[in-house]
Amino acid sequence: MSEKNWEKGLEVFDKVYGPGSSEMVKPFESSPFNQEIVGNQFANMWGNEAFSIRDKRLMVLGATAMLGRQDLVEIQMTGALVNEEFTEEQLEQIPLFLLFYAGAGNTTAIFRGIEAAKARVAEMKKTD
């Protein structure tokens, strides 16, 4: 992995998850796993401008819905809320729309992840 890709990946990471988020991966720069995530997934995939970050986030949410992973939804939705990518009405519609595609159990995780992200961002705003 080139230094250029690592730096671009860190920049895109902050755009996706919010300013300063890349600090959590910097200590692991020598890890091949993190090099792949930052240097390829973020620099090349999230950094590709064919789709907006919001569009990519919606694709990730769809895939994550099938996993039923509230924790991953919370991470994505926190970034989305920090970036003001969705309105309150849109946030309410996401689990309703996915209910028929991902099933009630998985969509419950989506709902809970969205609610947890909303609470996290509200707390972040209090400390600013």
Side-chain angles (χ1 to χ4, degrees), residues 52-108:
S52 69
I53 288 175
R54 182 181 186 273
D55 292 342
K56 291 173 194 151
R57 192 177 315 279
L58 285 169
M59 288 187 270
V60 170
L61 281 172
T64 303
M66 298 308 295
L67 299 173
R69 294 281 307 272
Q70 175 183 334
D71 58 330
L72 299 177
V73 172
E74 182 179 347
I75 291 166
Q76 286 299 323
M77 293 311 296
T78 298
L81 293 171
V82 166
N83 292 329
E84 299 178 347
E85 295 171 6
F86 298 104
T87 66
E88 191 67 34
E89 179 183 8
Q90 290 170 327
L91 291 175
E92 291 175 3
Q93 290 298 310
I94 291 170
L96 286 172
F97 183 81
L98 289 173
L99 181 62
F100 296 99
Y101 294 96
N106 288 344
T107 305
T108 298

Side-chain angles (χ1 to χ4, degrees), residues 81-82 84 118-128:
L81 293 171
V82 166
E84 299 178 347
K118 287 165 57 176
R120 178 188 279 189
V121 172
E123 276 300 310
M124 290 166 60
K125 288 181 179 179
K126 283 183 188 177
T127 61
D128 285 344

Side-chain angles (χ1 to χ4, degrees), residues 35-46:
Q35 288 177 5
E36 184 65 25
I37 289 173
V38 174
N40 183 37
Q41 188 64 20
F42 281 89
N44 297 327
M45 304 310 295
W46 280 94

Side-chain angles (χ1 to χ4, degrees), residues 12-44:
V12 174
F13 199 96
D14 283 340
K15 287 180 183 176
V16 173
Y17 296 118
S21 297
S22 63
E23 292 300 316
M24 70 177 144
V25 296
K26 285 181 181 178
F28 306 103
E29 181 177 2
S30 63
S31 161
F33 177 75
N34 279 306
Q35 288 177 5
E36 184 65 25
I37 289 173
V38 174
N40 183 37
Q41 188 64 20
F42 281 89
N44 297 327

